[in-house]
Amino acid sequence: EQRRTLDAYRWGLVPSWAADAAIGNRMINARAETLAGKPAFRTAFRRRRCLIPASGFFEWRPAARGKEPVYVRRRDGAPLALAGVWEEWRSPAGEPRRTCAIVTTAASRFMAPLHDRMPAILDADARRAWLEPQAQAPPDLARLLDLLRPHPDDDLLAHPVSRQVNSPGYDAPDCIAPLAQLEL
């Protein structure tokens, strides 16, 4: 049955053919430029596309004391819809595990001082197209790849945040509290 649902998946795509789930540790992002051809992602791109909702995302920029975490979000505070792909992998015991990866694209001018890549952020029209289940043939897939471009610069804000964001055991709202506003 083809319907849209909200579900929780584990970040780090494990292809259905993988011998071990540990491969997912290296598959957190899928490059838009190689999505259609890379064996780990091509079937998921054709058949299992998803949106990953996010209030924002983190990048690390060089700073005097090492790398500094920076939180990037929409200027208006609305959630982001990140292009994603997902797979279902079965453990040797037969237990299913649904996993996903965020699709990335080249950095916009805004993002370039932070990183050379950024998540592919989809607007409303692009979200509908990305989730269209019938889009599996090469011409349709080429149109989908065209959606995976840098997000408009004037729509994003960034600010440095506490280094505590890098601690897996620390989960509190102040992880995204601004230390200062960045001018990128």
Side-chain angles (χ1 to χ4, degrees), residues 18-89:
D20 186 342
I23 192 173
N25 298 334
R26 298 183 314 275
M27 306 287 226
I28 60 172
N29 295 329
R31 294 176 71 93
E33 300 85 347
T34 59
L35 192 59
K38 192 168 184 179
F41 299 115
R42 69 177 168 225
T43 302
F45 170 55
R46 277 198 344 264
R47 297 187 183 142
R48 288 176 287 283
R49 295 177 300 276
C50 63
L51 297 174
I52 299 171
S55 57
F57 58 93
F58 298 97
E59 285 298 347
W60 280 254
R61 71 176 181 159
R65 298 184 349 224
K67 290 192 174 187
E68 173 184 56
V70 174
Y71 183 66
V72 181
R73 64 175 181 83
R74 280 186 48 154
R75 185 175 296 276
D76 64 6
L80 301 169
L82 311 180
V85 291
W86 67 275
E87 278 285 4
E88 184 171 280
W89 177 79

Side-chain angles (χ1 to χ4, degrees), residues 104-120:
T104 66
T105 189
S108 65
R109 280 190 324 241
F110 177 83
M111 285 296 300
L114 300 174
H115 200 280
D116 63 342
R117 309 282 306 162
M118 70 183 295

